[in-house]
């Protein structure tokens, strides 16, 4: 528990989702060690790990190499097997408190390790993404009642607690994540959602919509104007500028991923604002040598397997950097 | 008026929440067996906003039996939770007014008070910015007003100095007036700290208690009826119910006054841009409005706002943000600091100021009845003036109601060192603390680095918070850039486990705001 203890690694990877695991495996195959893979959660797998296997559940993770759609948890289990074949040191429940660009040191805190400073020759951010907040979307205002959820919270309730939070949902957003939220709510016992987005047609593509049609058929509402969430205690309606009031007992604000680039920004690495995109050369390395990013932290919305292969690919750049 | 001074000297008061069984921790749920009707209270304070809590704090320094009655499920749930979080010097108040006097004297004592209460506060100073020749001319008048208000430590700055102090303000700036003692503070902790100290000195606190009527108003012992069947007997009633003060005053037919909520919307920027500004940046006030400011927050964000929208009487829950309001804030603050336009906003909120048509700081002692005090119209400066206003009210009661109060020499006036919030003094920076309790190393809120240990400490704190919002205001969990994307449900689970109630009973801010919709039927899954 001594915070002055300095662990030294060739590479520290921040984030043990598909991209972080991909890069760990890629580095191991490239003969790099020791490698540390850390995550703030209590399990590896990042967001996909939250999509647990359920009897009447809906698999939503397309695994192209197997031409199958799996549950996130199943895909993470494949990754875990691959990872177990490497010597990667995995530390869970570890939160990075600060990053020092000049010395390539990170300070982390965890219940097992206490507070420690780790040093590495190269540091890789595989921190994933989160959903844009309500206000950050720029077209949703109103009150702040209970039961306005992000998709992650919905997952934590539905899959983590077997607990359905709303019967009549309105979903704000219309991408693949929004459709999967609608479907998950439907099979948990909610009615078909009303889906609303500031777009002429749903952002999810027709093939994706066709896939989810088996489970849910949300009522699509195109809306060009801002909306407001209403309800003094619990969520009651979503109101549109033209006077429509969509009645509901909960709202899911879904999709629109934002990269978790804050650690990189805090370290003084280049991140553009306000979209929080890391400024990268060749989609993976910062202008400062030895600093890399992989997976959804580079921006955009990519599937789990894309992130894994991106990690594998970026691993080659990291190996090049370390062995040049 | 002689009080029985039945002080429970050295004994802490109790906290109870009025709700159905299973809606909060059974240990703090109000039950009919709880002692409420034995002896009348000396004083009942109606409303646990920052002024009500400060009153409880100041009264708890005397030998008196006080009860604080609040209809919400936490202190500071109304106007006190949504404001600009600034401790004002009163430099721009109406000189000679009671507001000016109270704010000015309170601002001098605040650094000491914040230390006592363990409330984070930082003196950043403020700069009033002038962007035109006309505005520049007004600076001298504002400076004079500031001096008239007793704030003499200000200085007029030329454009070069302003640009040097604040490189990110609009380069067209013509000059400014610097007021060095303007400060930023944790606005939530103020009400909580006042109430916690009062509680430890013997004040009883009843949450979820809505006043229905007040009877025996002309008797020495009056009765406040709450939640239809509870009776609270007391000698003195102080109505500090803020937006609801009119409704409470109607119960004793108090002197006429009119409340129009004045809405103020705010935008909160991500911590990534905190370094853009150093001072609180204020525009030149116009006749109509003080304008929209840009202020650093004690938490490390930047906030901008507020709007000033007068709403009709009774719009007490109209704390909506609106697209127009937020755009209005952006338009004027981006003009002051153009770099803000490229920065991410993480949240927006709105508060309702208690705006009284008959003037601010509307105070009536013996309001139509001996022993009933009305205090309302406390608008933007209530956070600053709170404890000075409380002392003013106590002095007034002594003079005008002949109230005889004896100091309680055993009373505490501060919180323990351990009360500093974790976000201010992170437990993970304390090696021994972290080693002795690994929970301080398990982060629940990733954005603000708030651990499960801190959540537990807050839940075990004297006011024993029962809602997720109450926990959030004490710890900052859920207040970061992801706005609960990651920690939302873990926080609900933490409250559920600590209060030993079902998931469906956990609320955001008390009964009715359940996180699980009541429309969801229990179903076999």
């Amino acid at each position: 528990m001594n915070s002055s203890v300095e662990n030294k690694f060739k590479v520290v990877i921040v984030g043990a989702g598909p991209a972080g695991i991909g890069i760990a495996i890629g580095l191991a195959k490239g003969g790099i060690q020791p490698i540390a893979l850390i995550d703030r959660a209590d399990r590896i797998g990042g967001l996909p790990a939250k999509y647990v296997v359920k009897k009447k559940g809906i698999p939503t993770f397309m695994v192209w190499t197997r031409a199958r759609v799996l549950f996130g948890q199943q895909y993470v289990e494949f990754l875990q097997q691959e990872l177990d074949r490497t010597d990667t040191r995995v530390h869970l429940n570890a939160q990075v408190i600060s990053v020092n660009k000049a010395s390539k040191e990170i300070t982390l805190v965890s219940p097992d390790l206490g507070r420690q400073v780790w040093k590495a020759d190269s540091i890789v951010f595989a921190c994933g993404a989160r959903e844009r907040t309500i206000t950050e979307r720029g077209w949703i205002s109103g009150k702040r009642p209970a039961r306005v959820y992000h998709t992650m919270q919905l997952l934590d309730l539905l899959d983590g607690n077997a607990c359905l939070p709303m019967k009549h949902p309105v979903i704000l957003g219309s991408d693949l994540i929004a459709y999967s939220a609608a479907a998950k709510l439907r099979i948990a016992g909610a009615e078909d959602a009303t889906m609303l987005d500031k777009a002429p047609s749903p952002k999810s593509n027709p093939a994706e919509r066709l896939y989810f049609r088996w489970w849910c058929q949300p009522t699509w509402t195109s809306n060009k104007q801002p909306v407001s969430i209403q309800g003094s205690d619990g969520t009651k309606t979503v109101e549109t500028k033209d006077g429509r009031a969509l009645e509901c007992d909960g709202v899911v604000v879904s999709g629109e991923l934002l990269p978790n680039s804050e650690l990189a920004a805090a370290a003084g690495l280049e991140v553009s604002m306000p979209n929080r995109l890391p400024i990268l050369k060749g989609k993976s390395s910062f202008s400062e040598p030895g600093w890399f990013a992989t997976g959804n932290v580079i921006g955009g919305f990519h599937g789990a397997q894309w992130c894994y292969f991106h990690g594998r690919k970026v691993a080659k750049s990291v190996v090049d950097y370390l062995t040049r | 008026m002689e009080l029985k001074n039945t002080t429970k000297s050295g004994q802490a008061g109790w906290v109870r929440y009025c709700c159905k069984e299973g809606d909060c921790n059974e240990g703090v749920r109000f039950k009919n067996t709880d002692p409420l009707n034995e002896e009348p209270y000396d004083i009942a304070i109606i409303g646990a906003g920052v002024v009500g809590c400060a009153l409880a704090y100041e009264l708890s320094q005397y030998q008196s039996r006080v009860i604080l009655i609040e209809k919400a499920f936490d202190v500071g749930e109304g106007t006190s939770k949504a404001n600009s979080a600034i401790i004002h010097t009163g430099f721009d108040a109406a000189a000679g007014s009671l507001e000016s006097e109270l704010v000015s004297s309170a601002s001098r004592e605040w650094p000491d008070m914040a230390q006592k209460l363990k409330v984070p506060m930082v003196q950043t100073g403020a700069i009033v910015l002038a962007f035109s020749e006309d505005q520049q001319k007004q600076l001298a008048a504002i400076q004079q007003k500031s001096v008239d208000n007793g704030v003499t430590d200000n200085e007029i700055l030329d454009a070069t100095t302003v640009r040097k102090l604040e490189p990110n303000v609009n380069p067209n700036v013509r000059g400014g007036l610097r007021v060095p003692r303007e400060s930023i503070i944790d606005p939530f902790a103020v009400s909580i700290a006042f109430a916690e100290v009062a509680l430890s000195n013997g004040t009883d606190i009843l949450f979820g208690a809505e006043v229905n009527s007040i009877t025996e108003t002309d008797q020495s012992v009056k009765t406040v009826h709450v939640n239809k069947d509870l009776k609270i007997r007391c000698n003195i009633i102080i109505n500090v119910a803020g937006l609801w003060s009119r409704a409470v005053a109607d119960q004793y037919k108090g002197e006429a006054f009119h409340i129009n909520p004045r809405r103020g919307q705010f935008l909160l920027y991500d911590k990534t841009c905190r370094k853009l500004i150093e001072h609180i940046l204020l525009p030149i006030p116009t006749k109509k409005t003080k304008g929209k400011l840009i202020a650093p927050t004690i938490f490390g964000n930047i906030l901008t706002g507020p709007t000033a929208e007068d709403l009709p009487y009774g719009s007490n829950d109209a704390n909506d943000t609106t697209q127009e309001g937020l755009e209005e804030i952006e338009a004027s603050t981006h003009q002051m600091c153009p770099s803000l336009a490229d920065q991410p906003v993480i949240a927006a909120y709105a508060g309702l100021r208690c705006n009284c048509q008959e003037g601010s700081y509307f105070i009536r002692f013996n309001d139509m009845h001996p022993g009933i005090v009305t205090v309302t119209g406390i608008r933007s400066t209530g956070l600053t003036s709170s404890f000075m206003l409380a002392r003013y009210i106590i002095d007034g009661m002594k003079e005008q109601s002949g109230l005889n109060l004896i100091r309680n020499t055993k009373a505490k006036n501060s919180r323990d060192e351990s009360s500093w919030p974790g976000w201010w003094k992170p437990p993970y920076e304390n090696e021994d603390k972290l080693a002795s309790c690994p929970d301080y190393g398990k982060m629940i809120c990733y954005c603000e680095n708030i651990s499960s240990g801190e959540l537990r400490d807050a839940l075990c704190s004297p006011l024993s918070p029962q809602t997720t919002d109450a926990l959030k205001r004490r710890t900052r969990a859920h207040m970061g850039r992801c706005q609960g994307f990651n920690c939302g449900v873990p926080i609900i689970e933490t409250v559920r486990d600590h209060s030993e109630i079902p998931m469906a009973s956990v609320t955001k801010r008390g009964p009715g705001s359940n996180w699980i919709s009541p429309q969801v039927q229990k179903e076999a899954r």
Side-chain angles (χ1 to χ4, degrees):
Chain A
M1 291 267 173
N2 190 338
S3 68
S4 62
V5 171
E6 210 166 86
N7 266 309
K8 237 189 141 307
F9 295 92
K10 272 272 189 266
V11 183
V12 170
I13 304 159
V14 184
I21 295 171
I23 204 154
I25 292 168
L27 290 171
K29 287 191 193 287
I32 305 291
Q33 65 165 337
I35 304 161
L37 176 62
I38 62 170
D39 201 285
R40 54 197 189 180
D42 57 3
R43 56 185 158 188
I44 68 158
L47 282 187
K50 296 236 175 195
Y51 289 79
V52 298
V53 181
K54 284 211 300 202
K55 245 189 193 164
K56 278 171 22 190
I58 310 163
T60 49
F61 285 80
M62 183 67 204
V63 179
W64 300 97
T65 49
R66 292 166 194 255
R68 280 179 65 192
V69 187
L70 300 178
F71 288 92
Q73 186 193 357
Q74 291 172 309
Y75 183 59
V76 171
E77 280 160 10
F78 287 132
L79 298 183
Q80 172 94 59
Q81 287 166 13
E82 288 281 312
L83 183 66
D84 287 347
R85 290 191 206 110
T86 71
D87 284 335
T88 310
R89 281 179 57 181
V90 180
H91 285 280
L92 298 173
N93 295 315
Q95 168 89 346
V96 177
I97 299 295
S98 65
V99 185
N100 187 320
K101 187 169 81 171
S103 59
K104 286 215 181 85
E105 285 174 350
I106 63 166
T107 304
L108 57 87
V109 169
S110 98
D112 317 316
L113 304 168
R115 182 161 174 252
Q116 294 199 351
V117 180
W118 289 6
K119 196 174 168 63
D121 294 339
S122 174
I123 292 176
V124 185
F125 294 107
C127 309
R130 63 178 181 274
E131 286 172 343
R132 211 175 271 269
T133 68
I134 294 166
T135 310
E136 206 162 0
R137 287 173 198 232
W139 56 280
I140 309 168
S141 59
K143 291 197 172 68
R144 300 171 62 127
R147 303 192 298 276
V148 178
Y149 290 111
H150 279 291
T151 315
M152 175 78 113
Q153 293 163 296
L154 192 65
L155 276 180
D156 283 344
L157 287 168
L158 290 175
D159 286 0
N161 284 287
C163 191
L164 174 69
M166 58 188 85
K167 190 81 181 165
H168 309 283
V170 164
I171 296 180
L172 300 178
S174 61
D175 61 7
L176 178 60
I177 303 174
Y179 272 86
S180 94
K184 282 178 120 1
L185 279 165
R186 188 75 183 91
I187 57 161
E191 313 212 319
D192 254 330
T194 302
M195 187 175 278
L196 184 148
D197 203 349
K198 202 180 171 188
S201 61
K203 287 173 183 159
S204 169
N205 70 44
E208 289 163 353
R209 297 206 302 266
L210 195 63
Y211 177 73
F212 283 109
R213 219 181 148 70
W214 177 261
W215 293 281
C216 71
Q217 295 171 33
T219 312
W220 163 249
T221 309
S222 168
N223 184 62
K224 295 192 186 83
Q225 302 293 322
V227 300
S228 74
I229 296 174
Q230 294 298 325
S232 294
D233 297 316
T235 306
K236 291 268 190 308
T237 54
V238 172
E239 293 179 3
T240 63
K241 272 273 160 203
D242 54 15
R244 283 176 294 170
L246 309 174
E247 289 196 16
C248 59
D249 59 348
V251 168
V252 183
V253 184
S254 199
E256 293 201 33
L257 295 189
L258 268 185
N260 288 329
S261 59
E262 286 74 27
L263 278 179
L269 297 163
E270 287 179 290
V271 173
S272 76
M273 287 295 173
N275 55 16
R276 304 166 189 265
L277 291 172
I279 300 172
L280 302 165
K281 298 183 297 185
K283 286 191 177 175
S284 67
S285 57
F286 288 91
S287 59
E288 193 80 11
W291 296 84
F292 297 87
T294 180
N296 276 327
V297 73
I298 69 166
F301 169 27
H302 308 287
Q305 198 176 28
W306 186 96
C307 291
Y308 172 75
F309 282 117
H310 189 254
R312 292 289 300 267
K313 200 172 110 195
V314 175
K316 294 198 179 98
S317 314
V318 181
V319 173
D320 284 349
Y321 167 76
L322 292 170
T323 56
R324 91 205 131 140
Chain B
M1 184 176 299
E2 283 295 326
L3 294 181
K4 292 215 182 83
N5 295 327
T6 44
T7 182
K8 301 175 283 182
S9 132
Q11 198 187 331
W14 48 253
V15 180
R16 291 290 183 275
Y17 292 81
C18 299
C19 61
K20 292 202 313 284
E21 191 176 345
D23 277 359
C24 79
N25 187 306
E26 195 56 18
V28 291
R29 192 173 71 85
F30 183 83
K31 300 168 200 79
N32 287 331
T33 50
D34 282 319
L36 206 53
N37 298 321
E38 292 170 2
E39 279 288 315
Y41 283 94
D42 295 327
I43 299 165
I45 303 168
I46 302 174
V50 70
V51 179
C53 293
L55 260 168
Y57 169 85
E58 291 293 341
L59 281 168
S60 78
Q61 306 302 311
Y62 298 93
Q63 296 182 25
S64 58
R65 260 188 99 227
V66 177
I67 183 165
L68 182 56
I69 306 169
E70 169 56 51
K71 75 176 181 55
F73 248 47
D74 192 15
V75 295
E77 265 283 10
T79 302
S80 310
K81 77 176 172 193
N83 48 59
S84 55
I86 290 171
I87 293 300
H88 301 281
T89 54
F91 78 95
D92 56 352
S97 63
L98 175 63
E99 179 174 15
S100 159
E101 184 192 317
L102 295 175
V103 169
S104 167
S105 53
S107 82
R108 282 170 216 287
E109 199 175 319
W110 255 114
D112 180 44
M113 184 58 93
Q115 280 299 314
K116 278 194 226 159
L117 296 178
K118 311 295 179 288
V119 173
M121 170 176 158
V122 168
Q123 188 177 309
T124 56
I127 304 179
V128 184
L129 297 171
F131 288 101
S132 67
E133 209 170 309
D134 186 43
Q135 288 189 343
Q136 208 177 347
K137 283 180 196 150
Q138 292 180 52
L139 287 176
I142 299 170
Q143 186 183 33
Q144 186 54 48
K145 192 174 187 184
S146 173
V147 172
D148 293 344
N149 278 307
V151 184
T152 50
D153 51 353
N154 59 52
E155 51 175 332
I156 288 190
L157 311 172
D158 60 20
T160 322
T161 315
V162 174
R163 282 194 284 263
K164 213 167 113 192
L165 288 172
E166 292 290 353
N168 291 303
V169 301
N170 190 324
N172 297 329
V173 70
R174 303 288 288 260
L177 174 75
R178 182 157 174 256
V179 188
R181 282 192 304 107
E182 291 274 312
S183 305
I184 55 175
I185 196 164
D186 174 351
F188 316 115
V190 176
S191 304
I192 294 165
F194 280 141
E196 282 188 4
V197 176
L199 178 69
S200 71
N201 288 334
T203 304
D204 295 336
I205 303 177
L206 193 62
F207 289 118
E210 188 165 0
V211 173
N212 306 127
S213 63
I214 296 170
T215 56
E216 289 114 297
T217 44
D218 286 318
Q219 313 288 314
S220 67
V221 177
K222 304 156 189 39
T223 307
V224 181
H225 301 258
V226 301
N227 297 352
K228 300 200 174 75
D229 55 354
L230 286 181
K231 290 177 188 171
I232 299 167
R233 296 188 304 144
C234 57
N235 289 298
I236 293 174
I237 294 171
I238 310 177
N239 171 8
V240 279
L243 295 168
W244 284 267
S245 57
R246 183 64 260 174
V248 172
D250 285 343
Q251 302 309 319
Y252 54 82
K253 299 186 176 57
E255 193 182 314
F257 64 87
H258 301 82
I259 299 294
N260 292 95
R262 181 171 291 172
R263 181 162 63 198
Q265 303 184 38
F266 292 90
L267 280 169
L268 195 65
Y269 286 79
D270 193 354
K271 285 180 167 180
T272 45
C273 66
R274 169 65 184 86
K275 286 183 187 137
L276 277 185
I277 60 163
E278 289 296 325
H279 296 76
I280 299 160
L281 302 179
L282 306 164
I284 300 263
T286 63
K287 279 216 172 85
K288 203 171 154 256
T289 159
K290 278 187 180 177
K292 294 164 193 71
L293 55 81
I294 306 176
T297 74
I298 191 90
F299 313 111
N301 308 85
I302 287 180
L303 69 77
T304 62
T307 55
E309 307 155 65
D310 283 328
L311 306 177
Y313 170 71
S315 324
N316 291 3
D317 69 344
N319 58 348
D320 307 45
T321 55
T322 63
Q323 210 61 37
E324 298 76 20
L326 302 179
E327 281 164 15
E328 187 189 315
I329 297 169
E330 284 182 339
S332 73
T333 52
H334 290 176
Q335 191 273 329
M336 267 161 75
C337 178
S339 323
L340 263 188
D342 301 328
Q343 295 302 325
V345 167
I346 59 169
Y349 63 94
L352 299 170
R353 312 178 189 80
C354 178
N355 179 43
C356 178
Q357 277 180 24
E358 282 71 18
S360 57
Y361 286 72
F362 181 96
I363 300 169
R364 294 293 178 271
F365 295 99
N366 302 319
D367 189 1
M368 302 295 189
H369 312 275
I372 297 187
V373 186
T374 306
V375 181
T376 190
I378 315 299
R379 237 163 41 199
S380 322
T381 52
L383 182 64
T384 306
S385 68
S386 52
F387 63 93
M388 276 300 167
L389 174 59
R391 288 177 202 169
Y392 174 85
I393 296 165
I394 293 170
D395 288 347
M397 291 195 301
K398 285 180 186 166
E399 282 167 26
Q400 306 206 24
S401 308
L403 179 67
N404 183 19
L405 283 170
I406 301 161
R407 279 259 162 209
N408 177 3
T409 48
K410 288 179 194 151
K412 276 173 56 174
N413 65 0
S414 64
R415 290 202 295 173
D416 296 339
E417 205 55 34
S418 64
S419 304
W420 287 111
W423 61 265
W424 183 248
K425 292 190 173 183
Y428 59 76
E429 285 178 1
N430 182 334
E431 236 167 74
D432 297 335
K433 203 169 177 180
L434 191 52
S436 68
C437 180
D439 285 353
Y440 292 118
K442 174 58 189 164
M443 297 306 164
I444 300 293
C445 167
Y446 299 147
C447 303
E448 301 286 305
N449 292 331
I450 308 300
S451 63
S452 67
E454 286 156 77
L455 294 186
R456 182 207 52 220
D457 288 354
L459 286 167
C460 295
S461 69
L463 279 182
S464 66
Q466 296 298 311
T467 66
T468 54
D469 272 5
L471 185 56
K472 169 174 140 180
R473 285 192 289 269
R474 282 160 179 78
T475 58
R476 273 199 73 63
H478 202 295
M479 290 212 176
R481 58 174 64 92
C482 87
Q483 289 285 296
F485 175 83
N486 288 301
C487 66
V489 172
I491 289 171
I492 298 172
E493 292 166 349
T494 306
V495 172
R496 172 197 65 190
D497 296 344
H498 186 85
S499 295
E500 298 174 324
I501 54 176
M503 196 78 163
S505 295
V506 182
T507 63
K508 189 171 193 292
R509 49 176 171 257
S513 60
N514 301 59
W515 281 107
I516 306 299
S517 166
Q519 292 182 44
V520 176
Q521 301 295 319
K522 279 179 196 162
E523 44 195 291
R525 291 164 54 87

